[in-house]
Amino acid sequence: MTDTACLLRLYEEKYELEDYQGGVPRWCSGCGDNAILAAVQRLCRDEALRPEKTVFVSGIGCSSRLPHYMSTYGFHGIHGRALPVAEGIRMARPDLHVFVNTGDGDCCSIGAAHWIHALRYNMHMSVFLHDNQIYGLTKKQASPTSPQGTRSNTTPRGAWLQPLNPLSVTLGVQNVSFVAQAVDWMPDVLYDMVRAAFHHPGFSFVRIIQRCPEWLPDQWEPFIKDPKRILRLDQNGHDASNIDRAREIASRSDPIPVGILYRNADVPRYEDLRRSPKLRTPQLVRAGLEAELDKFTVWPEHAR
Amino acid sequence: MHADFQAQLAFHLTGQKLAAGPQPLEAFELAPALLARYRDLAALRYDFPLVLSKDGALHRLSGVVDAALEGRDEKTRKQALRRERELRAMLAGGAGGQLSRLWNGPVALAVDGELADCDEALPGRLVAHAWRALEEEKARALRGCIERLKGRLGDILAADRARSDEGRSAQALRASFAGRDDGIDFEALSALLRRALPARALAASRRRRIESLLTRLGEEDFGPCVFDTCSEALAAYRARLPRLIALSKAIAAARLEAEGEYAEERHDAFFATCGAGLLAAEGLADFPGTLVQLDGAELGMAHNAQLAEMLALGMPVKVLVQFDDLLRRSPVGRPGFGLRSHALAGMALGLPDVFVLQCAASDLYALRGQVKQGLDYPGAALFSVFSGAGGESGALPPYLVAAAAAESRAFPAFCHDPAAEAGARFSLAGNPRPGEDWALRELTYEDAGHQRVREEVAFTLADFVACDGRYAGWFARVPKERCNGGMVTLRESLAERPGGLPDKVPCILLADKEGVLHKAIVAEELVGETRRCLEFWHGLQERVHEPETKAVDKQAVAPAPAPAAAAPVAQAQEPSRNPDEPYIETPRCTTCEECVTINNRMFVYDANKQAVIADLAAGTYRELVEAAESCQVSIIHPGKPRDPQEPGLEELVARAQPFL
């Protein structure tokens, strides 16, 4: 049923950035998480998202502190499990705007299975992967996206393996519907990607390459200093409906591609496929519970 | 003047046979040459019959059979196609029913539903079928919405009850444990809950409002929705409107209540004063709609006025006007072919925000998308359909008559969708060669020397009229030996301006039952009607907005911009600055907190949470330089020192040099 908007919106709702600011960020100064926080707060303000209709879900890590700094609903979950929690929220409360903030360790390591299946389910939510290529909160251990040779507490002689490419993995999963990349030091691109992800009707995945000034201070310095080492897809006529081309671009790391790699709004969403025509009335819930409980037998009190 | 030509001209001008002139035709003696090959329609695979499945979808029987035959062997295929042909013949003979009951073929079909052939009943059946499916879906959505709201309002009352003293009484708590009280002291629990949760009951006015909303949301029955006359539909609509408004208001108020946004001081007054104006067509579209099925032959002036009122009111009404006989003479004596349908189309196109679809029944399957668009359209929609079943066309099936009307521009297809983008609202899609006067078709035949001849023939209004037995007298067959250079095709004749005594006589190609071609002269009266029909068609063509393709093409072929690397955001926009003054490239700020950590009075964030210099006097040049050094994207430019007395200035100026 279409919303009788004229009745519900008798006055214009206008929000300021401060309306979305929660606690004072405890990230290190210079941390790219601050840029991502600013971008999502700008998005909430510009889209006039009602704080009580917005939820940010996270796992564990520096990135996952973000819900604390938003004055909306938030769920700071357990390591790697941000996506299943967000999926549950999407199913139970389809009226909420669901955002997920996860890190390279949280998403690509312990939460990798959830990540892949969340892509396949294509449920409507915006997922921001804060990729600083290191476990920062636990003081420098190599993450799946740490470049080969990265010296850390767990890899004192340098990381042995090739890093995992989150874009290639994402684009390899069936039902993928939106993949983009941004870098935290280009706020205009970052905001555009966050906004495009929000407007995508499905699972939108944005990998945000971010700086960690504490543990990998010089990692992105050459790219920040030399704009030629960033490839802006919007200025290069990239066709975002071409998944083969998107996969090809995703495999590049220098120059760093930024923009929408792939977008397909027609991929079916799990919540639409599984939406029950039945209303979840108290009677229905009670009947379901009774049916479940009837599967068990209570031992008769006097039977010995 | 040659005697033969003189006699032919005389027939053309008067429509009467003179002396030994050409003989007017008998009814059904000849038929248009282009239709000769379609006489046994049941032997052909085409769009009909249709399968009207329960979910509201339309399928072609041939499409359903093809889908079932995919990957099957040739023998099965032949059997299935034979069964399909038999079924088509049965339906043409007047049979009907469920596909699964009638099929009995060698393969199982994936689709089931009522079979519908192209006959007099088709337009009504098809539109009502699609309309009912949409209405059921709409009713389900409305019911779901109301039930959901009732559930949420009920939850508010239930929560209030649970928090009340009564809800927290020992008795109520015991009841919530299904009467079992193994070891639980409900009195103590009740006392504990009373202490822990202070009673905060709903305001009496809110409770009354919620209870009243729950009662009002129960009223959903709006009575019958299908009518045969405009007056009945209008009367029912007027009776129904107050209840629609009341329910719509109740839904809106319930939503506000459920969201906790109902503010008495604002909304009470609003709901007390708002009335019919509240319900735009879009709002009404969510409630049960109205379908009116009218017979085009009965549309008089009074009916037309009612129809216009109904369409112009913005009611979510869907009107089907069915024309069965386009060739009925007008009451004033002139032929006036298609007069009523043209008048109806003109009236509907003149009304704002009315969806209009006109098409022949033979095109209903091809234009099913437009039919659905019209039914989905939130405002009024008019469907004007020619069934082809009402004239006197002898053995010609209604499908061919309807198709001939569309082909000859007697009943052209068009669609006006007010919801489409500007420039794309009116469309002639569905007509053959919509950009030209006539649809030219290739006619292949064998000449006297048994040679294959190909000729392009236009199917004009005269060809369509030739299908009807009532007007056989308007054509006169010319024996082959009497054909002469004065006979031209009707298309050529129409291209010349009328006036004066004609020196040519127009003729068309007809075929007899044996398939032998004949030339027949067309009476002047019919030529006039054909010209009028063509003018109406030109009027429709003028409505089609031609996009300015040239400008678009130019843009399209413009070379793609050369690959560009990312440039700093504000590079182009940044005005030229005095390098002695400090400044920040704010749009490039990444909100990294470095500068505000150094001095949060000198550096502050703007409305977008990006850094600006707020107060230079609040800090030192040293802090400016340190901020520039710590900024990871190098957007802070410290300028020159303002205070020459600041200690260590020489060193600071050197450090600031890279950031100027």
Side-chain angles (χ1 to χ4, degrees), chain B residues 150-494:
Chain B
K150 281 163 79 174
R152 292 181 70 181
L153 294 183
D155 285 348
I156 294 175
L157 294 182
D160 183 52
R161 204 172 302 117
R163 289 178 68 103
S164 67
D165 288 342
E166 189 194 339
R168 286 180 291 179
S169 67
Q171 194 183 356
L173 292 172
R174 185 174 290 110
S176 69
F177 275 69
R180 295 181 67 88
D181 54 358
D182 305 342
I184 298 175
D185 183 349
F186 287 103
E187 295 293 344
L189 183 60
S190 170
L192 184 72
L193 284 175
R194 278 170 204 255
R195 274 203 308 280
L197 286 171
R200 211 175 53 189
L202 277 184
S205 60
R206 189 174 184 207
R207 167 174 283 280
R208 270 199 307 278
R209 198 167 51 240
I210 291 176
E211 284 167 350
S212 147
L213 283 174
L214 282 170
T215 316
R216 279 152 62 196
L217 286 175
E219 296 160 8
E220 269 187 71
D221 186 17
F222 296 104
C225 300
V226 183
F227 302 93
D228 293 330
T229 65
C230 296
S231 54
E232 282 175 20
L234 272 167
Y237 177 72
R238 286 191 191 111
R240 180 199 289 194
L241 191 60
R243 281 187 293 154
L244 281 182
I245 294 169
L247 181 60
S248 175
K249 278 160 75 171
I251 288 175
R255 280 182 177 166
L256 288 168
E257 211 45 272
E259 295 285 324
E261 288 188 354
Y262 195 102
E264 286 178 2
E265 68 280 9
R266 191 164 49 222
H267 294 110
D268 275 356
F270 181 84
F271 283 115
T273 52
C274 69
L278 176 77
L279 280 179
E282 195 184 337
L284 276 173
D286 298 327
F287 297 100
T290 305
L291 177 67
V292 186
Q293 294 179 309
L294 302 174
D295 182 354
E298 291 173 6
L299 276 184
M301 291 301 285
H303 289 95
N304 263 348
Q306 282 179 334
L307 178 59
E309 183 190 349
M310 200 161 61
L311 294 175
L313 269 177
M315 288 168 57
V317 62
K318 311 297 169 194
V319 183
L320 168 69
V321 182
Q322 180 172 332
F323 294 94
D324 295 323
D325 182 12
L326 285 184
L327 299 179
R328 207 166 64 156
R329 279 182 177 270
S330 75
V332 291
R334 278 177 56 85
F337 292 157
L339 192 71
R340 286 207 163 94
S341 64
H342 290 184
L344 181 72
M347 180 270 285
L349 287 174
L351 292 172
D353 299 332
V354 176
F355 183 100
V356 188
L357 173 67
Q358 172 173 299
C359 70
S362 55
D363 289 334
L364 273 173
Y365 178 75
L367 296 174
R368 63 194 182 285
Q370 278 90 330
V371 173
K372 184 162 185 321
Q373 262 176 17
L375 294 174
D376 283 337
Y377 179 68
L382 173 74
F383 303 95
S384 169
V385 182
F386 172 54
S387 72
E392 290 183 18
S393 41
L396 219 52
Y399 173 83
L400 278 185
V401 179
E407 187 86 8
S408 65
R409 318 294 194 205
F411 199 82
F414 65 81
C415 180
H416 174 71
D417 181 3
E421 284 178 18
R425 289 187 184 134
F426 187 81
S427 148
L428 288 176
N431 290 289
R433 304 205 184 188
E436 294 171 20
D437 282 356
W438 305 107
L440 296 179
R441 300 286 178 186
E442 193 175 81
L443 179 69
T444 312
Y445 58 91
E446 189 182 275
D447 68 3
H450 303 293
Q451 296 301 306
R452 188 187 182 90
V453 181
R454 282 200 179 90
E455 198 176 328
E456 275 212 321
V457 179
F459 196 89
T460 64
L461 179 76
D463 294 85
F464 172 56
V465 173
C467 302
D468 197 291
R470 287 170 292 181
Y471 302 100
W474 275 357
F475 303 91
R477 177 169 44 182
V478 180
K480 200 176 165 196
E481 62 278 8
R482 292 186 184 275
C483 289
N484 55 62
M487 294 167 68
V488 293
T489 63
L490 179 57
R491 183 162 65 108
E492 289 171 49
S493 171
L494 287 169

Side-chain angles (χ1 to χ4, degrees), chain A residues 41-269:
Chain A
Q41 285 175 343
R42 273 180 70 191
L43 174 84
C44 291
R45 178 200 60 189
D46 295 350
E47 299 292 336
L49 303 187
R50 291 160 68 189
E52 73 273 19
K53 290 284 181 191
T54 309
V55 59
F56 281 80
V57 184
S58 67
I60 294 293
C62 291
S63 61
S64 299
R65 296 193 57 78
L66 192 136
H68 292 277
Y69 310 140
M70 294 296 297
S71 180
T72 61
Y73 282 116
F75 196 110
H76 191 168
I78 49 175
H79 205 10
R81 271 66 182 171
L83 288 167
V85 170
E87 286 162 357
I89 293 171
R90 166 55 59 204
M91 285 302 266
R93 290 293 302 273
D95 55 321
L96 299 186
H97 305 290
V98 182
F99 296 89
V100 175
N101 292 81
T102 179
D104 43 308
D106 193 53
C107 175
C108 307
S109 181
I110 190 169
H114 297 305
W115 170 35
I116 287 167
H117 290 287
L119 283 162
R120 200 163 67 88
Y121 277 49
N122 191 39
M123 296 176 76
H124 186 188
M125 62 183 73
S126 310
V127 180
F128 305 126
L129 170 64
H130 303 221
D131 189 359
N132 61 0
Q133 306 191 333
I134 200 81
Y135 283 91
L137 195 72
T138 46
K139 306 208 171 24
K140 202 177 186 183
Q141 291 83 29
S143 86
T145 62
S146 298
Q148 202 171 23
T150 302
R151 288 179 183 275
S152 71
N153 295 328
T154 46
T155 53
R157 295 180 192 167
W160 295 102
L161 300 175
Q162 285 284 340
L164 181 144
N165 183 337
L167 296 180
S168 299
V169 173
T170 304
L171 285 163
V173 179
Q174 277 70 22
N175 285 347
V176 60
S177 69
F178 183 100
V179 182
Q181 179 158 266
V183 289
D184 80 67
W185 60 90
M186 293 176 71
D188 57 334
V189 175
L190 175 59
Y191 177 73
D192 288 349
M193 290 308 104
V194 165
R195 192 157 182 270
F198 171 73
H199 285 289
H200 175 71
F203 188 92
S204 47
F205 180 85
V206 186
R207 181 206 188 191
I208 304 166
I209 295 175
Q210 66 157 112
R211 295 155 296 156
C212 178
E214 190 65 27
W215 308 117
L216 295 175
D218 302 323
Q219 184 86 336
W220 301 107
E221 200 63 16
F223 295 90
I224 295 171
K225 298 283 185 228
D226 184 3
K228 286 188 185 141
R229 295 184 69 180
I230 300 286
L231 179 73
R232 285 193 65 152
L233 297 176
D234 57 340
Q235 295 175 1
N236 284 279
H238 170 59
D239 174 12
S241 63
N242 185 343
I243 196 163
D244 294 325
R245 182 84 186 113
R247 286 174 180 150
E248 200 181 310
I249 293 171
S251 63
R252 293 183 193 166
S253 55
D254 192 3
I256 301 171
V258 294
I260 300 171
L261 281 91
Y262 180 65
R263 173 162 52 186
N264 179 3
D266 297 330
V267 177
R269 297 183 294 184

Side-chain angles (χ1 to χ4, degrees), chain A residues 7 30 34 45 50 227 236 279, chain B residues 147 261 270 563 566 591-592 608:
Chain A
L7 293 168
N34 289 299
R45 178 200 60 189
R50 291 160 68 189
N236 284 279
L279 279 175
Chain B
E147 287 303 320
E261 288 188 354
F270 181 84
T591 324
C592 74
N608 283 336

